[in-house]
Amino acid sequence: MSTLIDVQSLTKTYGSGDNVQTVLNEIDLEVKEGEFVAILGPSGSGKSTLMNILGCLDGYTSGRYRFGNKDVTGLSEAELSLFRNKQIGFIFQQFNLLPRLSARANVELPLIYQRLSKADRIKRTEEMLARVGLEDKLDHFPNQLSGGQQQRVAIARALVTNPSLLLADEPTGALDQANGRQIMSLFHELHAEGKTIIMITHDIDIAKEATRIVHVRDGRIEKEERVR
Ligand SMILES: Nc1ncnc2c1ncn2[C@@H]1O[C@H](COP(=O)(O)OP(=O)(O)OP(=O)(O)O)[C@@H](O)[C@H]1O
Ligand SMILES: [Mg+2]
Protein backbone atom coordinates (compact mmCIF):
# COMPACT_ATOMS: atom_id res chain seq x y z
CA MET A 1 0.00 0.00 0.00
CA SER A 2 1.25 3.47 -0.72
CA THR A 3 1.85 6.08 1.93
CA LEU A 4 -0.99 8.53 2.49
CA ILE A 5 0.46 10.52 5.38
CA ASP A 6 4.11 11.17 6.05
CA VAL A 7 4.97 13.40 8.98
CA GLN A 8 8.56 14.06 9.97
CA SER A 9 9.89 15.86 13.05
CA LEU A 10 6.63 17.73 13.41
CA THR A 11 6.80 20.25 16.22
CA LYS A 12 4.17 22.68 17.45
CA THR A 13 4.88 25.28 20.09
CA TYR A 14 2.79 28.02 21.65
CA GLY A 15 4.13 31.22 23.13
CA SER A 16 7.65 32.55 22.95
CA GLY A 17 10.77 33.14 25.04
CA ASP A 18 10.47 31.85 28.59
CA ASN A 19 6.80 31.02 28.01
CA VAL A 20 7.29 28.67 25.10
CA GLN A 21 5.22 25.50 25.45
CA THR A 22 6.00 22.54 23.21
CA VAL A 23 2.71 20.78 22.54
CA LEU A 24 4.00 18.43 19.82
CA ASN A 25 7.64 17.46 19.98
CA GLU A 26 9.34 15.94 16.91
CA ILE A 27 6.48 13.67 15.86
CA ASP A 28 7.26 11.11 13.14
CA LEU A 29 4.21 9.34 11.75
CA GLU A 30 3.51 7.38 8.61
CA VAL A 31 0.05 6.16 7.65
CA LYS A 32 -0.49 3.91 4.64
CA GLU A 33 -3.59 3.98 2.47
CA GLY A 34 -6.27 1.75 3.95
CA GLU A 35 -4.89 1.74 7.49
CA PHE A 36 -7.08 2.20 10.56
CA VAL A 37 -4.90 3.97 13.12
CA ALA A 38 -5.80 4.99 16.66
CA ILE A 39 -3.94 7.83 18.34
CA LEU A 40 -4.18 7.15 22.06
CA GLY A 41 -3.10 9.40 24.88
CA PRO A 42 -4.18 11.11 28.09
CA SER A 43 -5.89 14.49 28.21
CA GLY A 44 -3.56 17.31 27.22
CA SER A 45 -1.08 15.00 25.44
CA GLY A 46 -1.56 16.83 22.12
CA LYS A 47 -4.00 14.55 20.28
CA SER A 48 -6.41 17.21 19.06
CA THR A 49 -3.52 19.48 18.14
CA LEU A 50 -2.11 16.67 16.00
CA MET A 51 -5.51 15.98 14.43
CA ASN A 52 -5.97 19.65 13.54
CA ILE A 53 -2.58 19.70 11.86
CA LEU A 54 -3.18 16.41 10.01
CA GLY A 55 -6.52 17.84 8.89
CA CYS A 56 -4.86 21.04 7.67
CA LEU A 57 -7.00 23.08 10.05
CA ASP A 58 -3.94 24.35 11.86
CA GLY A 59 -0.30 25.02 11.06
CA TYR A 60 2.85 23.81 12.81
CA THR A 61 6.11 25.33 13.96
CA SER A 62 8.62 23.06 12.25
CA GLY A 63 8.93 19.71 10.52
CA ARG A 64 7.42 18.32 7.34
CA TYR A 65 3.98 17.07 6.39
CA ARG A 66 3.24 15.28 3.13
CA PHE A 67 -0.25 14.06 2.19
CA GLY A 68 -0.23 11.67 -0.76
CA ASN A 69 2.56 13.10 -2.85
CA LYS A 70 1.71 16.67 -1.92
CA ASP A 71 3.72 18.78 0.51
CA VAL A 72 0.97 20.70 2.28
CA THR A 73 3.37 23.13 3.92
CA GLY A 74 3.42 25.65 1.10
CA LEU A 75 -0.32 25.84 0.41
CA SER A 76 -2.26 29.08 0.82
CA GLU A 77 -5.43 29.32 2.97
CA ALA A 78 -7.64 29.03 -0.12
CA GLU A 79 -5.71 26.03 -1.47
CA LEU A 80 -5.85 24.37 1.95
CA SER A 81 -9.59 24.71 2.29
CA LEU A 82 -10.12 23.24 -1.18
CA PHE A 83 -7.71 20.44 -0.30
CA ARG A 84 -9.57 19.70 2.96
CA ASN A 85 -12.95 19.69 1.26
CA LYS A 86 -11.75 17.11 -1.31
CA GLN A 87 -9.42 14.92 0.72
CA ILE A 88 -10.49 14.86 4.36
CA GLY A 89 -13.68 14.00 6.22
CA PHE A 90 -13.89 15.13 9.85
CA ILE A 91 -15.85 13.64 12.72
CA PHE A 92 -15.90 15.33 16.12
CA GLN A 93 -16.94 14.28 19.62
CA GLN A 94 -19.78 16.83 19.67
CA PHE A 95 -20.98 15.98 16.12
CA ASN A 96 -20.83 19.68 15.04
CA LEU A 97 -23.96 19.52 12.89
CA LEU A 98 -25.60 22.80 11.90
CA PRO A 99 -28.72 22.97 14.10
CA ARG A 100 -30.89 24.88 11.62
CA LEU A 101 -30.29 22.41 8.81
CA SER A 102 -32.00 19.03 8.32
CA ALA A 103 -29.97 15.82 8.20
CA ARG A 104 -30.03 15.93 4.41
CA ALA A 105 -28.97 19.60 4.26
CA ASN A 106 -26.10 18.97 6.67
CA VAL A 107 -24.83 16.10 4.54
CA GLU A 108 -25.30 17.98 1.26
CA LEU A 109 -23.31 20.99 2.45
CA PRO A 110 -19.76 19.77 1.59
CA LEU A 111 -21.01 18.92 -1.93
CA ILE A 112 -22.14 22.49 -2.51
CA TYR A 113 -18.48 23.50 -2.64
CA GLN A 114 -17.92 20.99 -5.42
CA ARG A 115 -19.23 21.34 -8.94
CA LEU A 116 -22.08 18.87 -8.93
CA SER A 117 -25.62 19.16 -10.23
CA LYS A 118 -28.44 19.42 -7.67
CA ALA A 119 -29.71 16.00 -8.80
CA ASP A 120 -26.29 14.43 -8.15
CA ARG A 121 -26.06 16.12 -4.77
CA ILE A 122 -29.45 14.78 -3.73
CA LYS A 123 -28.59 11.30 -4.96
CA ARG A 124 -25.28 11.16 -3.12
CA THR A 125 -26.73 12.66 0.04
CA GLU A 126 -29.58 10.14 0.17
CA GLU A 127 -27.25 7.23 -0.62
CA MET A 128 -24.88 8.28 2.17
CA LEU A 129 -27.65 8.70 4.75
CA ALA A 130 -29.01 5.27 3.78
CA ARG A 131 -25.50 3.88 4.15
CA VAL A 132 -25.50 4.93 7.83
CA GLY A 133 -29.03 3.61 8.37
CA LEU A 134 -30.86 6.94 8.39
CA GLU A 135 -32.94 6.73 5.20
CA ASP A 136 -36.07 7.41 7.28
CA LYS A 137 -34.61 10.52 9.00
CA LEU A 138 -33.68 12.63 5.98
CA ASP A 139 -35.74 15.64 7.00
CA HIS A 140 -35.16 15.48 10.74
CA PHE A 141 -33.26 18.30 12.39
CA PRO A 142 -30.36 17.56 14.76
CA ASN A 143 -32.50 18.21 17.86
CA GLN A 144 -34.95 15.57 16.63
CA LEU A 145 -32.22 12.91 16.51
CA SER A 146 -30.48 10.89 19.23
CA GLY A 147 -26.76 11.38 19.85
CA GLY A 148 -25.93 8.19 17.97
CA GLN A 149 -28.10 9.27 15.04
CA GLN A 150 -26.50 12.72 15.00
CA GLN A 151 -23.07 11.13 14.90
CA ARG A 152 -24.18 8.96 11.98
CA VAL A 153 -25.33 12.11 10.12
CA ALA A 154 -21.89 13.57 10.86
CA ILE A 155 -20.24 10.43 9.43
CA ALA A 156 -22.41 10.68 6.31
CA ARG A 157 -21.37 14.34 5.97
CA ALA A 158 -17.71 13.38 6.38
CA LEU A 159 -17.93 10.68 3.72
CA VAL A 160 -20.22 12.21 1.12
CA THR A 161 -17.30 13.76 -0.80
CA ASN A 162 -15.51 10.38 -0.83
CA PRO A 163 -12.40 11.76 0.93
CA SER A 164 -9.06 9.91 1.04
CA LEU A 165 -8.92 10.21 4.82
CA LEU A 166 -11.43 10.03 7.64
CA LEU A 167 -10.21 11.89 10.74
CA ALA A 168 -12.20 11.30 13.92
CA ASP A 169 -11.57 13.00 17.27
CA GLU A 170 -13.19 10.99 20.11
CA PRO A 171 -16.07 9.90 17.82
CA THR A 172 -17.75 7.86 20.56
CA GLY A 173 -16.86 10.21 23.42
CA ALA A 174 -20.35 11.66 23.78
CA LEU A 175 -22.24 8.40 23.19
CA ASP A 176 -23.46 5.58 25.40
CA GLN A 177 -21.98 2.14 24.91
CA ALA A 178 -24.61 0.81 22.50
CA ASN A 179 -24.40 3.85 20.22
CA GLY A 180 -20.61 3.82 20.50
CA ARG A 181 -20.59 0.19 19.33
CA GLN A 182 -22.74 1.09 16.35
CA ILE A 183 -20.31 3.83 15.32
CA MET A 184 -17.34 1.48 15.71
CA SER A 185 -18.98 -1.20 13.57
CA LEU A 186 -19.52 1.45 10.90
CA PHE A 187 -15.80 2.27 11.11
CA HIS A 188 -14.98 -1.42 10.67
CA GLU A 189 -17.15 -1.56 7.54
CA LEU A 190 -15.45 1.54 6.14
CA HIS A 191 -12.02 0.10 6.92
CA ALA A 192 -12.98 -3.16 5.19
CA GLU A 193 -13.97 -1.10 2.14
CA GLY A 194 -10.47 0.40 2.08
CA LYS A 195 -11.04 3.79 3.71
CA THR A 196 -8.06 5.24 5.59
CA ILE A 197 -9.08 6.16 9.13
CA ILE A 198 -7.27 8.03 11.89
CA MET A 199 -9.17 8.00 15.15
CA ILE A 200 -8.21 9.90 18.26
CA THR A 201 -9.16 8.56 21.66
CA HIS A 202 -8.12 8.38 25.30
CA ASP A 203 -9.93 5.05 25.70
CA ILE A 204 -7.76 1.94 25.27
CA ASP A 205 -10.78 -0.26 24.50
CA ILE A 206 -11.80 2.01 21.64
CA ALA A 207 -8.18 2.23 20.44
CA LYS A 208 -8.01 -1.58 20.22
CA GLU A 209 -10.65 -1.47 17.48
CA ALA A 210 -7.99 -0.07 15.15
CA THR A 211 -5.23 -2.08 13.46
CA ARG A 212 -2.45 0.04 14.92
CA ILE A 213 -2.21 2.13 18.08
CA VAL A 214 0.07 5.16 18.29
CA HIS A 215 0.62 6.10 21.93
CA VAL A 216 1.11 9.84 22.51
CA ARG A 217 2.32 11.35 25.77
CA ASP A 218 3.47 14.90 26.48
CA GLY A 219 3.51 15.70 22.78
CA ARG A 220 5.73 12.76 21.83
CA ILE A 221 5.09 9.37 20.30
CA GLU A 222 5.83 7.00 23.14
CA LYS A 223 5.38 3.75 21.24
CA GLU A 224 3.48 2.13 18.41
CA GLU A 225 1.69 -1.15 18.63
CA ARG A 226 0.13 -3.33 15.96
CA VAL A 227 -3.19 -4.74 17.15
CA ARG A 228 -3.83 -7.20 14.33
N1 LIG B 1 -4.18 27.80 21.37
C1 LIG B 1 -3.43 27.28 22.35
N2 LIG B 1 -2.56 28.04 23.06
C2 LIG B 1 -1.78 27.53 24.01
N3 LIG B 1 -1.79 26.23 24.37
C3 LIG B 1 -2.63 25.41 23.72
C4 LIG B 1 -3.49 25.88 22.68
N4 LIG B 1 -4.20 24.82 22.20
C5 LIG B 1 -3.83 23.75 22.93
N5 LIG B 1 -2.88 24.09 23.84
C6 LIG B 1 -2.21 23.18 24.79
O1 LIG B 1 -1.74 22.07 24.10
C7 LIG B 1 -1.81 20.90 24.90
C8 LIG B 1 -2.46 19.79 24.13
O2 LIG B 1 -3.82 20.09 23.86
P1 LIG B 1 -4.76 19.12 23.01
O3 LIG B 1 -6.08 19.77 22.89
O4 LIG B 1 -4.06 18.76 21.76
O5 LIG B 1 -4.84 17.86 23.98
P2 LIG B 1 -5.67 16.51 23.82
O6 LIG B 1 -4.70 15.39 23.88
O7 LIG B 1 -6.56 16.59 22.64
O8 LIG B 1 -6.52 16.50 25.17
P3 LIG B 1 -8.05 15.98 25.45
O9 LIG B 1 -7.97 14.48 25.57
O10 LIG B 1 -8.39 16.63 26.75
O11 LIG B 1 -8.91 16.45 24.32
C9 LIG B 1 -2.55 21.31 26.16
O12 LIG B 1 -1.61 21.46 27.21
C10 LIG B 1 -3.19 22.63 25.81
O13 LIG B 1 -3.28 23.46 26.93
MG1 LIG C 1 -8.66 16.58 22.39
Side-chain angles (χ1 to χ4, degrees), residues 55-57 77 80-88 90:
C56 301
L57 292 166
E77 262 320 302
L80 273 180
S81 84
L82 195 67
F83 179 78
R84 269 197 307 271
N85 179 252
K86 282 209 178 117
Q87 304 287 348
I88 305 173
F90 293 94

Side-chain angles (χ1 to χ4, degrees), residues 90-180:
F90 293 94
I91 300 169
F92 301 95
Q93 179 170 353
Q94 297 302 337
F95 326 134
N96 294 14
L97 298 176
L98 294 177
R100 289 171 181 280
L101 296 184
S102 64
R104 84 158 73 233
N106 266 285
V107 174
E108 186 184 350
L109 202 58
L111 293 178
I112 297 197
Y113 303 105
Q114 300 193 355
R115 289 198 186 88
L116 278 178
S117 67
K118 179 76 185 166
D120 280 345
R121 293 205 304 264
I122 290 173
K123 182 165 171 284
R124 283 177 59 177
T125 297
E126 291 183 355
E127 277 170 4
M128 215 53 237
L129 279 161
R131 174 76 179 72
V132 298
L134 293 175
E135 56 280 353
D136 57 344
K137 306 279 189 218
L138 297 174
D139 295 308
H140 281 56
F141 288 84
N143 67 2
Q144 299 169 321
L145 297 168
S146 73
Q149 290 166 342
Q150 288 182 61
Q151 192 61 303
R152 283 188 276 148
V153 174
I155 293 172
R157 178 182 59 182
L159 292 171
V160 74
T161 56
N162 195 24
S164 319
L165 173 67
L166 187 61
L167 263 182
D169 193 349
E170 302 277 1
T172 63
L175 303 176
D176 65 20
Q177 210 170 4
N179 278 300

Side-chain angles (χ1 to χ4, degrees), residues 165-196:
L165 173 67
L166 187 61
L167 263 182
D169 193 349
E170 302 277 1
T172 63
L175 303 176
D176 65 20
Q177 210 170 4
N179 278 300
R181 285 259 30 106
Q182 220 175 19
I183 298 301
M184 290 322 302
S185 56
L186 204 47
F187 275 34
H188 284 297
E189 284 176 34
L190 295 167
H191 175 232
E193 289 165 17
K195 191 62 81 187
T196 312

